[in-house]
Amino acid sequence: MFKKSIKKKLLSFALVSTIAVGGVAGSLSAPEAEAKSIPNKGKAKNVIFMIPDGYSTSYATNYRWYKGEETVLDSMLVGMQRTYSANSKVTDSAAAGTAMATGVKTNNGMISTSPDGKELETVLEAAEKNGKSSGLVATSTITHATPAVFASHVASRADEAEIAPQLLDNDVDVILGGGKNYFPETLLNDAKKDGYKYVSNKNELKNTKKTNKLIGLFADEGMAPELDRDETNQPSLADMTKSALDVLKRDKNGFFLMVEGSQIDWAGHDNDAAWAMKDSEAFEDAVAEAVKFAKKDGNTLVVVTGDHDTGGMSVGGYGKGDANPEILRNVTATGDYMANELNKKRSNVKKVVKKYTSLDLTNDEANRIKLAENPSMEINKVISERALVGWTSTGHTGTDVPLYAYGPGSDLFAGLHENTDLPVMIAKAMKVKFKPGK
């Protein structure tokens, strides 16, 4: 039986490595592709800014154990960044994204607009003014908070129908993600007239040849979780990243590309540890594509950081003094999907959970799921308890998050930074004129 699409998330969305590398490195092997060898000084012709939404050091540590070896990003760790917004110690994706795109703190919910309503220039727009191409890639709707902040300006992140035309008006050259519902036929026809090649599935994306402008919308709303990727004809985040680079590299003046692993955050909101790890894996695959390109090119800066933490994940918990995220490797469906497979009386709980997790539930665990108001969340809780992955929230938290960089200009990112420092340092690496608040 094919998997059904999971429920769409209305919350904001968010890979790899940790500050405590030394504590676990002894039992883990080196990654297949370490990000080393390119000089960290000099001008960056191209920038690939990658955002694993909701990703913090706990995700990084759990993911390393889940993978069973060092990650691609471990060798790229250079610092940390603070995430608070203008009106809260705990940011949302709109305010965090705005800070990382414009260099200005704003209120939660606002898209590249200051608290007093002023539109703020973004680092993507500054790059375009300097003759560079630009691109946005995400597994959420492409009009969602994080991609939106780089090329649109609205008072509320909820105005996705208003964000969509702004992405085209701002001449973003590559637009790949979900969100077909926000691009009516008239808007897509205008895009085609402006030279965009339009694709709607993995095969069409793979077969795209020699175009300078590309728009791909692969789902009506958000794309499928990586756990459900093989049940769709949707490209992976790595597929979209590679295709974006194939288009943007044609510009001799260089480019700015933002890539978001949106659903790490969605998984965190659901406290779905397996979904979080699988989408962290998908994000790492995309990072590997970016680093591969940067190694070959020699003039490309790759910057990676989460926008905030989601869920307050821990490594270990429940008073056990241990952690066992390795069991998440056997989970093949989200909690949402498993809950949809339960019959009306939920009498098949043990059978469903066994099928998709290889876990034999105790009678107590099965009864918890049968009686739960939200069976999906209860399934996720049981799996997290088995993996000893703790959670403190179904929302965001205010913890600092790790910062990674590779290539020319990567030395600029060392240390503890405000999230508003990032676009300034990116512009400096590109030698592009950019003034926050402009």
Side-chain angles (χ1 to χ4, degrees):
M1 180 176 180
F2 289 105
K3 293 179 182 177
K4 304 166 188 172
S5 295
I6 64 162
K7 66 187 180 191
K8 302 304 183 287
K9 310 295 179 208
L10 299 179
L11 297 167
S12 60
F13 312 15
L15 162 227
V16 198
S17 201
T18 181
I19 294 303
V21 171
V24 296
S27 60
L28 300 173
S29 58
E32 293 181 7
E34 285 194 353
K36 294 178 179 177
S37 78
I38 288 185
N40 61 10
K41 297 184 183 296
K43 180 181 178 180
K45 177 182 172 184
N46 313 308
V47 170
I48 307 171
F49 190 13
M50 308 189 73
I51 302 172
D53 201 312
Y55 193 84
S56 63
T57 54
S58 295
Y59 283 78
T61 307
N62 274 319
Y63 177 66
R64 188 186 298 107
W65 286 116
Y66 170 88
K67 183 180 181 183
E69 63 182 9
E70 299 292 299
T71 69
V72 171
L73 284 183
D74 281 336
S75 63
M76 296 170 60
L77 182 66
V78 292
M80 299 283 289
Q81 59 130 330
R82 297 166 173 158
T83 65
Y84 64 93
S85 68
N87 68 336
S88 177
K89 294 181 180 69
V90 179
T91 190
D92 80 330
S93 289
T98 294
M100 295 191 294
T102 72
V104 176
K105 297 269 189 185
T106 196
N107 295 336
N108 288 354
M110 302 184 79
I111 299 291
S112 290
T113 306
S114 68
D116 61 1
K118 178 185 175 183
E119 291 188 2
L120 303 167
E121 183 183 46
T122 75
V123 67
L124 179 149
E125 291 167 341
E128 287 180 334
K129 284 182 181 178
N130 279 262
K132 296 183 183 293
S133 295
S134 63
L136 297 171
V137 174
T139 53
S140 62
T141 58
I142 200 63
T143 48
H144 211 269
T146 303
V149 298
F150 288 90
S152 69
H153 309 269
V154 294
S156 171
R157 58 181 292 174
D159 295 333
E160 293 190 63
E162 186 179 342
I163 289 165
Q166 290 192 43
L167 302 185
L168 297 172
D169 290 343
N170 276 329
D171 201 30
V172 178
D173 300 278
V174 177
I175 299 169
L176 301 175
K180 200 180 301 182
N181 284 344
Y182 302 103
F183 290 80
E185 203 65 36
T186 52
L187 187 59
L188 287 176
N189 287 336
D190 288 343
K192 292 171 187 175
K193 289 176 187 175
D194 286 340
Y196 283 91
K197 167 76 173 174
Y198 172 66
V199 296
S200 60
N201 60 56
K202 179 178 181 178
N203 295 334
E204 290 176 355
L205 180 66
K206 185 177 180 180
N207 293 321
T208 298
K209 305 293 182 188
K210 292 187 178 179
T211 182
N212 294 321
K213 297 173 86 66
L214 177 65
I215 181 167
L217 302 171
F218 307 106
D220 290 340
E221 291 288 338
M223 294 175 66
E226 191 60 27
L227 281 168
D228 298 342
R229 179 76 50 224
D230 59 356
E231 303 292 340
T232 73
N233 196 14
Q234 298 176 11
S236 67
L237 188 62
D239 293 333
M240 293 191 289
T241 300
K242 185 177 185 304
S243 293
L245 292 171
D246 286 344
V247 174
L248 295 173
K249 71 182 182 183
R250 296 165 61 85
D251 191 332
K252 291 188 167 99
N253 292 318
F255 61 81
F256 175 90
L257 171 65
M258 191 289 301
V259 177
E260 184 194 32
S262 316
Q263 298 196 27
I264 300 170
D265 171 78
W266 294 4
H269 283 296
D270 271 10
N271 289 179
D272 191 328
W275 181 6
M277 294 299 98
K278 192 65 175 178
D279 265 87
S280 291
E281 180 180 71
F283 183 80
E284 185 187 25
D285 289 344
V287 172
E289 287 290 344
V291 170
K292 179 181 175 182
F293 177 89
K295 279 186 173 180
K296 184 176 179 180
D297 174 72
N299 298 297
T300 298
L301 168 66
V302 181
V303 179
V304 185
T305 189
D307 50 354
H308 52 71
D309 168 78
T310 303
M313 177 193 279
S314 69
V315 182
Y318 314 99
K320 301 293 185 183
D322 199 0
N324 192 26
E326 297 89 348
I327 73 166
L328 300 173
R329 298 172 194 161
N330 296 322
V331 180
T332 59
T334 62
D336 280 339
Y337 178 73
M338 284 185 268
N340 285 334
E341 292 290 287
L342 298 177
N343 59 32
K344 195 169 185 181
K345 293 184 177 180
R346 300 183 190 172
S347 60
N348 61 337
V349 166
K350 286 189 176 184
K351 181 179 178 181
V352 168
V353 173
K354 174 74 171 179
K355 179 179 179 180
Y356 295 108
T357 70
S358 298
L359 296 174
D360 291 308
L361 294 184
T362 65
N363 290 334
D364 179 62
E365 289 169 334
N367 284 330
R368 283 169 52 190
I369 296 167
K370 285 180 185 178
L371 299 173
E373 184 177 343
N374 186 337
S376 171
M377 286 292 291
E378 199 61 38
I379 289 170
N380 293 338
K381 286 180 182 177
V382 169
I383 294 171
S384 291
E385 288 168 9
R386 290 292 195 98
L388 298 179
V389 173
W391 301 92
T392 63
S393 175
T394 55
H396 298 170
T397 77
T399 188
D400 298 346
V401 297
L403 176 60
Y404 311 88
Y406 170 68
S410 59
D411 58 304
L412 297 171
F413 297 84
L416 176 61
H417 298 279
E418 293 287 350
N419 52 9
T420 50
D421 296 337
L422 301 187
V424 177
M425 294 185 292
I426 287 172
K428 185 176 180 180
M430 286 192 293
K431 303 221 169 5
V432 161
K433 194 184 234 180
F434 175 70
K435 185 177 181 181
K438 182 179 173 184

